[in-house]
Amino acid sequence: MPTLLVVNSSPFSETSVSRGLTSEYVENWKKANPNGKVITRDLTASNLKTIDAAWVGAVYTPKDARTAEQNEALALSDTLLAELKAADEYVLGVPMHNFGVPSVLKLWIDQIARVGETFSYADGTPKGLLIGKKATFLVASGGAYGADTAMASFNHVEPYLRSVFGFLGVTDTSFLTAGGASALMYGQTDRATFLQPHFEAIRSQFVAA
């Protein structure tokens, strides 16, 4: 049974562009995979915490030697890892915050980038362990930061996510960016009109498949 993991990181709900994109993606994925399973992870409601020394110590302690406190420190991370490993495909809604990813998404990445779980150095070189997975990143940005724009160098979202997921073994990645979303804030367009071409781009991925 194909499984999709949906990860949302926008602090907004109904007005979120990135959540609108992930909803459209999920709707089309379900049509293409009627027997599939969807796992949803809302990072803004996951009580993610920064990595501390106790967490790192727990990670590098063998499983059978961990204390109850160490197991508790890793409990959320273990849950997040289980979701990643159970899914065949990931779709992430990513609003650009200050030219990078939202802080909650960075916290999630810190929780799931674990030696022996999602990467290893067993032979002295890094090796990603999330093999055979696919990731689609649906990015929303207030301005336009495409490769053909004057602000392209300010876009740290795509290179960062491509590097991190590639390090973890996920090399089948694609990005769809809804740039210029600030037009919604200033009333220069309406939500349906703005989202329409991006919805069509999402649907085309499934038609092609």
Side-chain angles (χ1 to χ4, degrees), residues 55 58 67-78:
W55 189 94
T67 65
E69 290 77 12
Q70 288 178 319
N71 285 327
E72 183 178 355
L74 296 179
L76 176 57
S77 176
D78 288 342

Side-chain angles (χ1 to χ4, degrees), residues 92 101 105-106 108-109 112-113 118-119 121 126-130 135 137 155-175:
L92 288 85
V101 301
L105 181 53
K106 178 58 169 63
W108 178 78
I109 289 170
I112 57 96
T118 51
F119 71 93
Y121 282 102
K127 177 183 179 181
L129 301 179
L130 294 177
F137 302 95
N155 179 7
H156 300 289
V157 173
E158 183 171 339
Y160 172 69
L161 291 174
R162 196 180 296 278
S163 296
V164 168
F165 276 77
F167 180 81
L168 300 181
V170 185
T171 56
D172 184 359
T173 59
S174 60
F175 288 78

Side-chain angles (χ1 to χ4, degrees), residues 27-208:
E27 181 179 336
N28 284 271
W29 187 90
K30 286 181 175 178
K31 291 178 181 177
N33 300 274
N35 297 318
K37 176 183 178 181
V38 176
I39 302 171
T40 301
R41 171 59 60 175
D42 186 346
L43 300 185
T44 66
S46 296
N47 195 30
L48 294 161
K49 298 178 181 177
T50 56
I51 301 304
D52 58 17
W55 189 94
V56 175
V59 166
Y60 283 93
T61 299
K63 289 183 179 181
D64 57 0
R66 288 174 187 156
T67 65
E69 290 77 12
Q70 288 178 319
N71 285 327
E72 183 178 355
L74 296 179
L76 176 57
S77 176
D78 288 342
T79 297
L80 300 176
L81 286 171
E83 292 173 350
L84 275 172
K85 293 175 181 180
D88 307 292
E89 181 181 348
Y90 316 134
V91 60
L92 288 85
V94 187
M96 178 186 283
H97 286 178
N98 300 315
F99 312 118
V101 301
S103 57
V104 290
L105 181 53
K106 178 58 169 63
L107 290 174
W108 178 78
I109 289 170
D110 289 343
Q111 292 283 342
I112 57 96
R114 275 176 54 181
V115 64
E117 297 286 353
T118 51
F119 71 93
S120 73
Y121 282 102
D123 57 358
T125 57
K127 177 183 179 181
L129 301 179
L130 294 177
I131 306 301
K133 312 287 189 178
K134 174 186 176 183
T136 301
F137 302 95
L138 304 177
V139 182
S141 62
Y145 302 93
D148 59 344
T149 68
M151 298 288 284
S153 64
F154 286 76
N155 179 7
H156 300 289
V157 173
E158 183 171 339
Y160 172 69
L161 291 174
R162 196 180 296 278
S163 296
V164 168
F165 276 77
F167 180 81
L168 300 181
V170 185
T171 56
D172 184 359
T173 59
S174 60
F175 288 78
L176 187 156
T177 300
S182 61
L184 292 170
M185 183 186 304
Y186 295 111
Q188 297 169 342
T189 186
D190 62 87
R191 181 179 174 84
T193 300
F194 177 81
L195 288 174
Q196 185 59 32
H198 306 299
F199 283 178
E200 291 176 358
I202 289 171
R203 293 165 190 156
S204 69
Q205 294 184 16
F206 292 92
V207 171

